[in-house]
Amino acid sequence: MAAEIHSRPQSSRPVLLSKIEGHQDTVTAALLIPKEDGVITASEDSSARNMIFVFLAAPCSAMAYHHDSRRIFVGQDNGAVMEFHVSEDFNKMNFIKTYPAHQNRVTAIIFSLATEWVISTGHDKCISWMCTRSGNMLGRHFFSSWASCLQYDFDTQYAFVGDYSGQITLLKLEQSTCSVITTLKGHEGSIACLWWDPVQRLLFSGASDNSVIMWDIGGRKGRTLLLQGHHDKVQALCYLQLTRQLVSCSSDGGIAVWNMDVSREEAPQWLESDSCQKCEQPFFWNIKQMWDTKTLGLRQHHCRKCGQAVCGKCSSKRSSYPIMGFEFQVRVCDSCYDSIKDEDRTSLATFHEGKHNISHMSMDVARGLMVTCGTDRVVKIWDMTPVVGCSLATGFSPH
């Protein structure tokens, strides 16, 4: 389905502050150092860079940085997770130990200082958690598909794992075991990124179906909101608690800022029927009705606003409906089209062009800075304050 974004004219946009080049392969992760003019990057050219270079035995596929303890954990293509300690002046990285966490590419890493766990997911279809004191494996849990992304609630020790089947699994991690709490199903493509907000207890997921879903884990009977405005795979997410905005990035360079401080509607479940729920004409598999009425069957479509099964004639119009997350024009039945007012089509998101492939993004909310990186080997640092209204960023001059 062709998608055309109709958003409000933009008076402000992200400001590109700096570009960092020099990696010889895909940059898999880039993190801004809090309170410092510096960026830590990891790349498939087997290097981890701070203000210095550390070359590893295998391509780097994931990274986590804990600023208070200055510990860096780097995941590799061979399944290992390596720990380093950064000096106070950020001019030296000392190797600490290697964790044999996986049998295949590491996709995500989280470090918990309270439990001294390094938690990771990988292409060996598992989540593992290891003790950073002893270096020993504490537990593993396996999935039916590659585990692609990870989020963790430090207070409850709940882990959220997205996988290539499009499913998100919620696990309760214990010292040596875990239990599956629930699974979340809503995406039609592999999960590429997750973001957990522990304050409002909201989980956001981005996937290869070009959409974002907000899952209300904290209550409201499992309420979910669908956000559709990207043209390509959603690769990175960040939710800003203070301004109630969601920043999402896609592999085609699209950067979207969603206003979540509005009353939104849930997209309806699609209904199934043997005939059009508007004109009652049979669909092509309804052989009995086609025979009885001597008519040819029609193709089934669905109205994105009401969810009813309709034929093409009864859903000939298209409309955006941002309150339900549809920022571009989608199929709606004729009666729903007539019910949508002009003010209902006003965009609830702003869209910007990063002008490079984005496979990873992180933000320093306190300074209003964002860093993006991807397969074009370029790292970009952005001032996002004109867009999201965070604290004003000071001058940034990465080493």
Side-chain angles (χ1 to χ4, degrees):
M1 176 177 61
E4 181 181 358
I5 294 177
H6 294 277
S7 58
R8 289 173 292 184
Q10 297 306 303
S11 57
S12 58
R13 63 189 62 188
V15 177
L16 180 62
L17 299 177
S18 180
K19 288 170 59 176
I20 301 174
E21 299 175 291
H23 280 292
Q24 302 303 309
D25 209 331
T26 299
V27 183
T28 51
L31 302 171
L32 291 156
I33 304 174
K35 302 177 183 178
E36 299 287 340
D37 285 348
V39 178
I40 304 172
T41 64
S43 170
E44 292 190 0
D45 62 10
S46 304
S47 70
R49 307 184 184 199
N50 178 18
M51 297 166 189
I52 47 164
F53 300 87
V54 176
F55 289 95
L56 307 178
C60 303
S61 54
M63 181 174 62
Y65 172 62
H66 188 264
H67 183 63
D68 291 339
S69 62
R70 299 195 305 280
R71 296 161 81 175
I72 297 176
F73 298 84
V74 180
Q76 298 179 271
D77 246 7
N78 60 12
V81 174
M82 300 185 72
E83 179 183 355
F84 298 87
H85 183 264
V86 183
S87 62
E88 288 189 24
D89 59 5
F90 292 94
N91 282 320
K92 187 176 182 181
M93 289 173 60
N94 297 307
F95 170 73
I96 304 299
K97 64 168 64 78
T98 298
Y99 303 89
H102 298 275
Q103 300 299 315
N104 208 324
R105 182 183 178 94
V106 180
T107 54
I109 306 172
I110 288 177
F111 170 62
S112 171
L113 182 63
T115 57
E116 284 288 346
W117 291 353
V118 56
I119 309 164
S120 58
T121 54
H123 281 183
D124 55 358
K125 304 180 181 179
C126 86
I127 177 175
S128 72
W129 55 108
M130 302 188 68
C131 177
T132 55
R133 295 191 186 95
S134 65
N136 294 332
M137 178 70 68
L138 297 175
R140 274 194 178 122
H141 179 81
F142 287 87
F143 307 96
S144 59
S145 300
W146 285 356
S148 53
C149 48
L150 169 70
Q151 285 286 278
Y152 182 69
D153 185 86
F154 294 91
D155 293 332
T156 63
Q157 296 180 189
Y158 285 162
F160 301 89
V161 180
D163 64 38
Y164 273 68
S165 74
Q167 179 173 286
I168 303 167
T169 304
L170 171 57
L171 302 161
K172 168 70 172 178
L173 302 187
E174 304 288 355
Q175 185 65 26
S176 59
T177 186
C178 71
S179 54
V180 177
I181 305 301
T182 189
T183 56
L184 306 174
K185 299 178 181 179
H187 284 287
E188 296 179 358
S190 59
I191 310 297
C193 52
L194 295 171
W195 183 272
W196 169 245
D197 173 33
V199 176
Q200 298 180 50
R201 304 194 68 76
L202 301 175
L203 179 70
F204 297 89
S205 58
S208 61
D209 59 8
N210 307 349
S211 70
V212 177
I213 295 180
M214 186 202 84
W215 312 83
D216 188 351
I217 305 298
R220 304 180 191 173
K221 300 179 181 179
R223 182 169 178 252
T224 61
L225 295 175
L226 176 67
L227 304 174
Q228 291 191 336
H230 285 286
H231 294 289
D232 210 334
K233 180 179 181 179
V234 181
Q235 304 261 60
L237 296 166
C238 180
Y239 179 65
L240 311 180
Q241 294 175 358
L242 292 178
T243 57
R244 294 180 183 264
Q245 292 168 295
L246 176 71
V247 181
S248 59
C249 298
S250 56
S251 58
D252 63 355
I255 301 171
V257 180
W258 308 83
N259 181 7
M260 303 305 295
D261 194 24
V262 293
S263 179
R264 291 181 176 268
E265 296 179 12
E266 289 187 72
Q269 293 291 324
W270 284 4
L271 303 176
E272 296 301 328
S273 176
D274 290 331
S275 57
C276 176
Q277 293 181 296
K278 295 297 183 180
C279 69
E280 299 183 351
Q281 289 295 304
F283 293 131
F284 63 83
W285 62 81
N286 190 348
I287 298 175
K288 184 179 185 305
Q289 188 177 348
M290 286 192 293
W291 178 266
D292 292 342
T293 59
K294 301 298 188 293
T295 57
L296 291 174
L298 305 175
R299 182 182 175 187
Q300 177 183 259
H301 300 282
H302 285 92
C303 172
R304 301 315 193 262
K305 186 175 184 295
C306 68
Q308 287 190 316
V310 291
C311 67
K313 184 178 179 181
C314 294
S315 57
S316 59
K317 298 182 175 63
R318 304 289 185 273
S319 176
S320 60
Y321 195 52
I323 199 171
M324 199 173 278
F326 299 115
E327 290 286 339
F328 49 74
Q329 294 191 351
V330 293
R331 180 186 297 272
V332 293
C333 66
D334 292 353
S335 57
C336 282
Y337 181 86
D338 293 337
S339 71
I340 298 175
K341 302 175 182 177
D342 288 341
E343 54 265 32
D344 295 334
R345 297 183 174 91
T346 301
S347 178
L348 296 176
T350 60
F351 298 93
H352 313 276
E353 179 53 61
K355 296 183 180 179
H356 77 140
N357 167 276
I358 298 176
S359 61
H360 183 271
M361 168 269 286
S362 67
M363 291 192 67
D364 182 341
V365 179
R367 294 187 288 172
L369 297 177
M370 180 176 75
V371 59
T372 60
C373 61
T375 57
D376 61 358
R377 310 173 188 178
V378 176
V379 178
K380 292 186 177 182
I381 296 96
W382 306 86
D383 178 6
M384 293 294 288
T385 54
V387 183
V388 301
C390 297
S391 301
L392 290 177
T394 56
F396 187 89
S397 54
H399 296 249

